[in-house]
Amino acid sequence: MLAPSLIRVRLAPDGQFGAGFSYAIAKTEWPVVDVAFEESADALLLRTAAVTCRVQRSPCRLSFSDANGRLLASDTDGLGWPHPNATAEPGGGICRQRLAPGAHIYGLGEKAFGLERRGRRYDLVNSDPECYTWYDDPLYQSIPFFLALVPVESLGSGGKMGGATAAYGILLDNASHSVFDFGHGQSDQLSFSAETGELCYYFMAAPKLIDVIETYTALTGRILLPPLWALGYHQARWSYPDEQTVRDLASEFRRRRIPCDALYLDIDYMDGFRCFTWNEQAFPNHRQMLADLRAEGIKTVAIIDAGIKMDPGYPVHDDGLANGAFLTYPDGTLFHGPVWPGECYFPDFTSPAVRRWWGDLYAPLVEDGIAGFWNDMNEPSIFRQQTMPGVLRHDFDGHGAAHREIHNAYGTQMARATAEGLARLRPAERQLVISRSAFAGHQRHAMVWTGDNYSTWESLRLTIPMGLSLGLSGLAFNGADVGGFMGDCTGELLARWTQLGAFTPFFRNHAAMHSVQQEPWAFGSEIEAICKRAIELRYELLPYLVTAFWECSQTGLPIMRPLVLAYQSDPRTATVDDQFLLGGDLLVAPVLEPGANGRRVYLPAGVWIEFWTGQRLAGSRDVWADAPLDRIPLYVKAGTVLPMQPVIQHTDEPVSETLILRVYPGTGESLLYEDDGRSMAYRTGDSRLTRFAMRGDETWLEVVLRVEGAFASPRTQLRWEVIGLAGVPDLVEVDRHEADGWRWDETSRMLVVETGLCNQLAVRGATR
Ligand code: GLC
């Protein structure tokens, strides 16, 4: 019992527990929990304020119930090991539990399926699928954590409670190949198992899914705030092959006034794909190029792969060998396998010394002026043989392990080594480290993108459940290649994808070699204008997005959220994955089909205000949203103050002194988080949080502001834009005095009030 709602269960194959060392877990010290213990002839009972765990003696079966005595999860079979003769390899443990009728299952991070996980079996073994689409499994990342949403009626407690639900989550803390089956083999049973090692899982219970996520991220860690530029628009391609192309690309963004914060250097910037080198022919003056780009407000991100070319004379190779940094077979023979540069050695990122060595290798690139790093092929991917042999020896932070035991954690340890190196090299700055592979807990080191998708409408549709599931599994800072990676994008697809991407945590357009150009202007002026508007809106919404990132760093609550997270007791939301919430207040319903000029949208309970027209709509129903190609359906929850800013071309521009506060009349609380967007000073209190408490409806409203924190925000002017009032107000008040400067815009039916910093805004008699 680690916390009242968090229980760790361990079963060792031979009854001997190991050190219990795990890369998934961030928090190992927990305050003592008050546990009541009861023993009877047939069972042991462990009871906290939130959960009771019952251990039936014979046969041994575990069950978990909540504070109201409602059964959440129970073993259908004993925990244990498959029969030793069942497989040639030593098998890991398996746990089988009852799967309640009507229960929904979510999580497992990156999977090419819908949001609902029930009814299928999933393999968790980090792999490079070389492009994927719906139902391809496994992919690059493995997060062995799922959440269950259980209708109370099905818990066997008797009385019906109309829409009442309970939730729990389970993390299988095992980095070997694991398998999760949610009612696939047997419709009323779920199971989870791992190829090898201890059977160790964490059970977390809570009335609400969001509380389960809070517990899960307390256990495995939360995101660090990224630099603000990481939240801007990014442009990548495999590859922008030389200096002139990169310079022209930057100029094109600025000339067309399309906001952009970062450009990417894919593998061709290297000399023969050797990590930490430059192709001096193609990038002869890279330092100058990087400095010039920086002067235009454009950061550069460079790719670094996991494999190090076997090439005597290449310093990283020689140094790695001298330091014993590369993985070996048990007899000490070095392992090598082919990747982009040819035969490569692979660093043992599970060794603290190797991580340190690896992190230091970034020094010259950092000095050159590379701002962010992109770790790829770190499943690890090895051509023609999927991945490395399971017998290779790892240090495993001094505990020793075979590759098979830690396979799924390899990529995260690479990204960690990168992030820790950058933190040493640039201690005052926040870092952007992008990784393709990940394991549970990855979020505390780096972020992820979802690898090689296709430029198809199906892949566009898939990005939503993938992003949502990653967010539910701790990896809230994620994104897909906008426009699709493999194959040729079209103008219409790029327009719709850019509109969607603008509302995902990571917003990067990336395309593969041999595919058509995919920059915002590649398909003519109409598509360019649409992409530009979507990118501009992203920049206008940055204050809101930054606040969602901050909230995530504090509580683990995802940035991009499925409706079910906020409206758990509404069964209509349980499987919705073609629309989502960004933060708590903005509902995004992207168009996901070619030729469509509208779509159906489910509005959950409450009142919603259509972003583009200001129309108020009652929720708990489907509505039709008009969506010509230049419009993505967006709705704001009544009672929201949406903090926005004027359009900028990049985040290094000085922050405008005007903060735009879009007010959507109703009752609710909204937040605005601010800091300098680049340094670590926020960690020692240099930040500011504004709380907006609103009451009212379309005829009157009052917003009260409360500010906490020392950060001296450059935003000293407020431009209030009240949307969706019934008519011109009789009275507008600021700090309880009649406001002088306000105006009513009849075309947009918007009230505009310009004020300095203030504590209160009130609008009355807006009925005409
Ligand atoms: C992998 C990556 C892709 C990258 C390519 C070349 O396929 O997933 O994003 O462009 O390698 O480095």
Side-chain angles (χ1 to χ4, degrees):
M1 299 272 182
L2 302 177
S5 60
L6 177 62
I7 299 173
R8 173 153 81 144
V9 178
R10 295 175 74 181
L11 190 67
D14 52 5
Q16 299 293 314
F17 290 111
F21 179 74
S22 158
Y23 287 129
I25 306 302
K27 184 172 160 91
T28 50
E29 299 293 320
W30 296 81
V32 174
V33 188
D34 222 355
V35 185
F37 181 71
E38 284 170 39
E39 209 170 346
S40 67
D42 57 349
L44 312 177
L45 279 186
L46 297 138
R47 198 190 306 273
T48 71
V51 189
T52 300
C53 174
R54 181 174 190 274
V55 184
Q56 179 183 295
R57 287 177 193 272
S58 181
C60 179
R61 299 283 184 275
L62 267 60
S63 63
F64 302 89
S65 32
D66 69 10
N68 299 318
R70 298 178 307 207
L71 188 64
L72 294 173
S74 58
D75 289 351
T76 52
D77 268 311
L79 293 171
W81 271 259
H83 190 274
N85 297 335
T87 55
E89 301 283 358
I94 183 159
C95 177
R96 295 187 189 85
Q97 296 178 336
R98 176 170 173 267
L99 180 56
H104 297 282
I105 306 288
Y106 309 109
L108 299 189
E110 182 194 62
K111 288 281 159 207
F113 295 86
L115 179 69
E116 168 72 86
R117 299 278 183 244
R118 189 170 179 141
R120 296 183 187 275
R121 176 189 182 280
Y122 306 86
D123 269 291
L124 276 71
V125 55
N126 291 355
S127 310
D128 177 359
E130 295 174 19
C131 289
Y132 66 92
T133 185
W134 282 84
Y135 313 123
D136 285 338
D137 194 50
L139 301 186
Y140 315 92
Q141 306 169 22
S142 297
I143 316 297
F145 167 67
F146 69 90
L147 303 103
L149 173 63
V150 194
V152 166
E153 299 88 283
S154 73
L155 292 177
S157 64
K160 291 218 167 205
M161 293 181 68
T165 49
Y168 68 89
I170 289 180
L171 165 68
L172 172 64
D173 185 8
N174 190 307
S176 71
H177 180 167
S178 58
V179 174
F180 286 71
D181 180 324
F182 301 116
H184 176 74
Q186 210 174 302
S187 63
D188 58 354
Q189 182 175 279
L190 67 80
S191 69
F192 48 91
S193 58
E195 183 191 344
T196 183
E198 216 180 78
L199 180 67
C200 170
Y201 71 88
Y202 291 80
F203 180 87
M204 30 209 121
K208 295 194 150 269
L209 290 167
I210 49 174
D211 302 320
V212 175
I213 296 177
E214 193 160 352
T215 305
Y216 174 70
T217 53
L219 181 66
T220 61
R222 298 188 175 129
I223 65 164
L224 285 174
L225 285 184
L228 184 58
W229 66 265
L231 274 49
Y233 176 77
H234 295 192
Q235 184 68 50
R237 182 173 179 86
W238 175 24
S239 289
Y240 294 121
D242 55 43
E243 226 167 273
Q244 199 52 47
T245 311
V246 176
R247 284 177 175 278
D248 291 348
L249 184 68
S251 313
E252 221 41 26
F253 274 99
R254 293 299 177 246
R255 190 173 70 77
R256 295 169 189 268
R257 296 200 59 76
I258 299 175
C260 178
D261 261 281
L263 302 181
Y264 283 62
L265 299 179
D266 207 323
I267 46 177
D268 299 289
Y269 82 90
M270 300 182 214
D271 172 20
F273 309 132
R274 291 171 187 83
C275 292
F276 308 105
T277 65
W278 283 95
N279 175 341
E280 298 287 346
Q281 278 80 50
F283 292 89
N285 298 307
H286 51 262
R287 267 200 184 202
Q288 192 56 48
M289 176 194 82
L290 295 172
D292 293 346
L293 258 49
R294 237 180 358 262
E296 292 183 61
I298 292 190
K299 308 281 192 291
T300 306
V301 178
I303 198 167
I304 290 287
D305 288 343
I308 296 299
K309 186 178 175 73
M310 279 173 78
D311 179 20
Y314 158 42
V316 181
H317 164 272
D318 295 353
D319 223 47
L321 278 185
N323 287 324
F326 301 128
L327 286 164
T328 64
Y329 288 94
D331 68 0
T333 316
L334 283 158
F335 165 76
H336 57 87
V339 209
W340 302 120
E343 289 297 319
C344 286
Y345 293 130
F346 293 83
D348 179 8
F349 296 111
T350 74
S351 150
V354 174
R355 285 199 295 270
R356 190 158 185 111
W357 167 75
W358 180 260
D360 292 345
L361 290 173
Y362 287 85
L365 288 176
V366 164
E367 230 162 88
D368 287 340
I370 298 286
F373 290 93
W374 171 22
N375 283 171
D376 191 23
M377 307 295 276
N378 52 349
E379 294 70 31
S381 172
I382 297 170
F383 295 164
R384 299 193 296 276
Q385 60 189 72
Q386 284 295 330
T387 194
M388 52 182 52
V391 296
L392 298 189
R393 296 304 305 165
H394 283 272
D395 178 71
F396 193 37
D397 279 68
H399 303 281
H403 182 72
R404 133 176 343 103
E405 297 171 73
I406 62 91
H407 172 75
N408 287 342
Y410 185 81
T412 287
Q413 293 311 303
M414 176 188 182
R416 170 189 177 182
T418 303
E420 289 175 351
L422 296 177
R424 288 194 301 276
L425 292 164
R426 292 188 297 220
E429 277 177 53
R430 304 183 205 175
Q431 312 298 341
L432 176 66
V433 176
I434 305 158
S435 173
R436 191 170 72 175
S437 167
F439 181 58
H442 181 92
Q443 65 272 11
R444 62 183 192 270
H445 308 295
M447 51 79 66
V448 292
W449 102 104
T450 55
D452 301 348
N453 55 7
Y454 288 96
S455 294
T456 60
W457 291 90
E458 293 74 38
S459 280
L460 170 67
R461 169 75 184 82
L462 184 54
T463 61
I464 305 180
M466 288 184 76
L468 294 175
S469 301
L470 281 163
L472 292 174
S473 314
L475 279 79
F477 190 12
N478 69 73
D481 285 348
V482 167
F485 177 73
M486 189 57 84
D488 290 340
C489 193
T490 65
E492 186 188 1
L493 182 59
L494 184 68
R496 291 306 193 190
W497 211 320
T498 307
Q499 287 170 336
L500 163 54
F503 294 94
T504 58
F506 184 55
F507 186 22
R508 184 186 72 160
N509 175 319
H510 181 43
M513 189 183 275
H514 307 307
S515 62
V516 294
Q517 292 300 127
Q518 200 171 280
E519 295 75 22
W521 52 84
F523 299 96
S525 58
E526 189 203 347
I527 301 300
E528 176 180 344
I530 293 169
C531 292
K532 176 175 174 171
R533 184 63 203 114
I535 296 169
E536 286 178 344
L537 184 55
R538 165 78 167 204
Y539 280 81
E540 290 177 284
L541 282 167
L542 277 180
Y544 177 71
L545 190 65
V546 165
T547 304
F549 267 81
W550 171 77
E551 227 183 331
C552 179
S553 73
Q554 299 298 300
T555 65
L557 203 59
I559 296 150
M560 173 182 175
R561 308 175 191 165
L563 299 194
V564 69
L565 210 52
Y567 301 90
Q568 177 177 311
S569 56
D570 174 359
R572 275 290 313 268
T573 65
T575 57
V576 174
D577 61 7
D578 62 350
Q579 56 182 77
F580 59 93
L581 294 162
L582 180 67
D585 306 321
L586 197 57
L587 191 151
V588 185
V591 174
L592 304 164
E593 280 169 20
N597 56 9
R599 60 161 286 174
R600 195 174 275 284
V601 180
Y602 179 65
L603 295 180
V607 173
W608 294 87
I609 295 145
E610 215 273 342
F611 184 83
W612 304 104
T613 61
Q615 194 190 358
R616 287 176 78 90
L617 298 163
S620 296
R621 65 185 176 120
D622 288 319
V623 296
W624 178 259
D626 284 328
L629 192 55
D630 62 358
R631 180 177 295 189
I632 176 171
L634 287 179
Y635 302 83
V636 189
K637 201 161 76 184
T640 297
V641 175
L642 196 63
M644 296 177 65
Q645 66 182 16
V647 173
I648 48 176
Q649 295 303 303
H650 59 85
T651 59
D652 266 351
E653 272 185 33
V655 177
S656 161
E657 62 175 23
T658 305
L659 176 69
I660 298 167
L661 295 170
R662 286 262 171 101
V663 178
Y664 296 87
T667 296
E669 198 189 61
S670 312
L671 297 174
L672 167 65
Y673 170 83
E674 295 168 278
D675 63 26
D676 68 16
R678 55 177 61 111
S679 81
M680 304 305 281
Y682 74 98
R683 302 192 89 184
T684 45
D686 196 13
S687 65
R688 184 166 93 166
L689 186 67
T690 308
R691 291 176 196 277
F692 303 91
M694 196 196 312
R695 294 180 308 136
D697 57 29
E698 65 267 50
T699 65
W700 71 279
L701 67 91
E702 183 179 40
V703 184
V704 176
L705 290 74
R706 230 180 56 228
V707 181
E708 299 157 25
F711 175 64
S713 171
R715 296 175 173 132
T716 51
Q717 301 300 312
L718 305 180
R719 179 186 156 96
W720 301 83
E721 299 179 349
V722 187
I723 314 269
L725 287 172
V728 193
D730 290 335
L731 178 71
V732 177
E733 231 181 52
V734 175
D735 286 343
R736 307 194 195 281
H737 296 290
E738 194 167 343
D740 32 6
W742 63 269
R743 63 191 169 78
W744 174 258
D745 183 327
E746 185 54 38
T747 353
S748 55
R749 298 193 61 76
M750 178 166 85
L751 167 71
V752 181
V753 193
E754 316 253 4
T755 73
L757 295 178
C758 64
N759 301 314
Q760 184 246 15
L761 173 84
V763 176
R764 306 199 198 279
T767 48
R768 280 175 287 146

